[in-house]
Amino acid sequence: MQAAAPARTRDLVRLLETDIHLGRLGAGSWLRQIDLEAAYNATRLDIRQALDRLVEKRLVRHIARRGYQVEDFDPARVAQVMETRAVLEVAAAALVIDRLDDAALATMQLHAEAFARALEAGTVEDQEAANIAFHTTMLAPCPNREMVDLLFDLRARVPAAVIRRRNTMDLLRRGADHHFAIIRLVRARDLPALQQVMREHNLSPGAP
Amino acid sequence: MQAAAPARTRDLVRLLETDIHLGRLGAGSWLRQIDLEAAYNATRLDIRQALDRLVEKRLVRHIARRGYQVEDFDPARVAQVMETRAVLEVAAAALVIDRLDDAALATMQLHAEAFARALEAGTVEDQEAANIAFHTTMLAPCPNREMVDLLFDLRARVPAAVIRRRNTMDLLRRGADHHFAIIRLVRARDLPALQQVMREHNLSPGAP
DNA sequence: GGCATCAAAATTGGCGCCAATCCAGAAGGA
DNA sequence: TCCTTCTGGATTGGCGCCAATTTTGATGCC
């Protein structure tokens, strides 16, 4: 919720998305256009357009003549999104396992370590950044860009704040371990085992 | 491109989507706001909102101060979308194979026959309707609604007109045969064979 | 005859105003 | 004291106007 230079629709979508994603805007919060106008230093029209786009993405609910509020995420839907993500990640794994070179694996190693460190001594924001960086690097050589875009889109559909809520430190550490296992299995070109870990990584209750 | 009762944003999106999907608006066509305003009997604001939403869906391209035009779809991207669709359809098959009862299979049979008939003596529109009906019926008992929504979303990402272009009658008939094979394999509860057919059905150059 | 230049028309795109609607709090009655 | 009704304030949401920019068509020059 920072004020900044005048923001256009696309920026607004990203800013609001981030605020929802990290839980700065909790489920049920009312998003008053006037407040947002001031908070983000944007015009009414841009605000409205951004909100409509978030409604389309089902992160925000719109009630006629009442306003916009952050959608609440029932566990069933979260599970469905994660199952879908798992299916696609497993498919993507097959597409990248032979395309990840040593340089890419080294970068992944850095991000995996950064994630593990952020778990112990960083903010949720830091964790998210490191985690996204890890998966971005892993999916970079995937020839199917549509699939990759879709995966990140699915990631954005469920706020990290919602997932992390019922997440023990133990589960998070297991997620960190998955990262290292993934690197090892890619290096060994062991697709079945890799896919098994990818699936588990995406389906665990608090999947990073 | 029919004129009708005043249309709101959501209707406009659907109408434009259909027009693009069926090829009434070909790739590269300019979508002038004034024309659309008149053609669909809508306000400028609704038109613009609908167009922006189509840009988001990547069916339409926007050039600043030039206007909106129908996106052209390069074969590589089409292939990627279809590959992604195939992955999800295969996953969905596992979720519905034990949930499709005799009534559902009978309905699917009707739609499969309708599709086969439309191939021989119907319009592209008829074919699309029958095909969508077949797949809708098949996915109806899928407990993962997010996955189903995503599948239909992917379907909308590549206009039928683009796919059908490089589609021989032979390929289309093979698609019709797939429908009957799918029904038979669901009835036999033969998941591996079903998934094989689903994959082929989605990947064939002119996948219905 | 072809090409560059220029002006007029058309189109896009943004901003502000104002009506319609809803919520909160005060006033009145049981 | 609690419930109902009413009024004032605030918010949403739609419509229209106008500036900025591009395109088209005409004109003049090479």
Side-chain angles (χ1 to χ4, degrees):
Chain A
M1 283 209 239
Q2 64 254 25
R8 293 242 157 285
T9 303
R10 190 164 306 173
D11 308 313
L12 284 171
V13 172
R14 208 186 45 245
L15 287 170
L16 282 167
E17 220 168 27
T18 305
D19 283 346
I20 293 173
H21 201 65
L22 296 177
R24 289 197 279 257
L25 291 171
S29 305
W30 284 100
L31 302 168
R32 279 187 308 163
Q33 298 180 8
I34 294 189
D35 291 350
L36 299 178
E37 207 169 340
Y40 295 105
N41 183 26
T43 70
R44 188 64 138 296
L45 210 76
D46 281 322
I47 293 287
R48 241 146 66 183
Q49 213 142 12
L51 286 172
D52 282 336
R53 211 159 284 187
L54 290 173
V55 168
E56 201 67 7
K57 292 186 173 210
R58 298 183 57 185
L59 284 170
V60 165
R61 172 188 5 208
H62 177 65
I63 303 175
R65 299 216 155 54
R66 287 286 310 279
Y68 299 83
Q69 65 176 335
V70 178
E71 187 75 77
D72 43 355
F73 303 86
D74 70 301
R77 203 184 127 204
V78 172
Q80 292 180 6
V81 172
M82 284 166 68
E83 166 72 26
T84 308
R85 240 173 69 183
V87 168
L88 289 175
E89 285 270 11
V90 164
L95 296 176
V96 296
I97 191 170
D98 287 325
R99 287 184 166 85
L100 286 165
D101 54 24
D102 287 335
L105 285 164
T107 309
M108 283 167 67
Q109 178 76 27
L110 288 178
H111 294 314
E113 285 163 4
F115 179 75
R117 253 181 290 122
L119 268 194
E120 306 300 331
T123 65
V124 173
E125 220 161 319
D126 296 333
Q127 297 166 18
E128 269 304 287
N131 187 43
I132 293 285
F134 177 86
H135 287 283
T136 302
T137 308
M138 178 170 184
L139 291 173
C142 180
N144 191 333
R145 300 318 297 169
E146 291 289 328
M147 194 181 284
V148 174
D149 289 348
L150 192 53
L151 269 168
F152 284 104
D153 192 62
L154 285 174
R155 212 171 263 281
R157 279 195 205 181
V158 178
V162 171
I163 295 184
R164 292 288 163 83
R165 189 169 306 145
R166 46 190 181 147
N167 222 14
T168 64
M169 197 60 198
D170 199 50
L171 275 171
L172 283 170
R173 288 213 184 88
R174 199 172 308 167
D177 290 341
H178 284 156
H179 289 162
F180 295 109
I182 287 166
I183 294 172
R184 183 164 38 77
L185 291 170
V186 169
R187 199 161 260 141
R189 311 290 179 211
D190 184 347
L191 183 57
L194 175 63
Q195 290 184 320
Q196 180 60 38
V197 172
M198 288 306 294
R199 185 169 173 77
E200 205 178 321
H201 186 59
N202 277 281
L203 285 184
S204 64
Chain B
M1 284 206 238
Q2 64 256 25
R8 295 242 158 286
T9 303
R10 189 164 308 172
D11 309 311
L12 285 171
V13 171
R14 208 187 44 245
L15 288 170
L16 283 167
E17 221 168 28
T18 305
D19 284 345
I20 294 173
H21 200 65
L22 296 177
R24 289 197 279 257
L25 291 171
S29 306
W30 285 100
L31 302 168
R32 279 185 309 164
Q33 299 180 7
I34 294 188
D35 290 350
L36 299 179
E37 209 170 339
Y40 294 105
N41 184 27
T43 70
R44 185 66 135 285
L45 211 76
D46 282 322
I47 294 285
R48 242 147 65 185
Q49 213 142 13
L51 287 172
D52 282 336
R53 212 160 282 186
L54 290 173
V55 168
E56 203 66 7
K57 292 186 173 209
R58 298 183 56 185
L59 284 171
V60 165
R61 171 188 8 209
H62 177 64
I63 303 175
R65 297 213 160 57
R66 287 286 310 280
Y68 298 83
Q69 65 177 334
V70 178
E71 187 74 77
D72 44 356
F73 303 86
D74 69 301
R77 202 183 128 205
V78 173
Q80 292 179 5
V81 172
M82 285 166 67
E83 166 72 27
T84 308
R85 240 174 68 183
V87 167
L88 288 175
E89 285 271 11
V90 165
L95 295 176
V96 295
I97 191 170
D98 287 324
R99 287 185 167 84
L100 287 164
D101 55 23
D102 287 335
L105 284 164
T107 309
M108 283 167 67
Q109 179 75 27
L110 288 179
H111 293 315
E113 285 164 4
F115 179 76
R117 253 181 289 123
L119 268 194
E120 306 300 333
T123 65
V124 173
E125 220 161 320
D126 296 332
Q127 298 166 18
E128 270 302 290
N131 188 45
I132 293 286
F134 177 87
H135 288 282
T136 302
T137 307
M138 179 170 184
L139 292 173
C142 179
N144 191 332
R145 301 317 297 169
E146 290 289 328
M147 195 181 283
V148 174
D149 289 349
L150 191 53
L151 268 168
F152 284 104
D153 191 62
L154 285 174
R155 213 170 261 282
R157 281 197 203 179
V158 178
V162 171
I163 295 184
R164 291 289 163 83
R165 190 169 304 142
R166 48 191 179 145
N167 222 13
T168 64
M169 197 59 197
D170 200 49
L171 274 171
L172 283 170
R173 289 215 185 87
R174 198 171 310 168
D177 291 341
H178 283 156
H179 289 162
F180 295 110
I182 288 166
I183 293 171
R184 182 165 39 78
L185 291 169
V186 169
R187 198 162 261 142
R189 312 290 179 208
D190 184 347
L191 183 57
L194 175 63
Q195 291 184 319
Q196 180 59 38
V197 173
M198 287 307 293
R199 184 168 172 77
E200 206 178 318
H201 186 59
N202 277 282
L203 285 184
S204 65

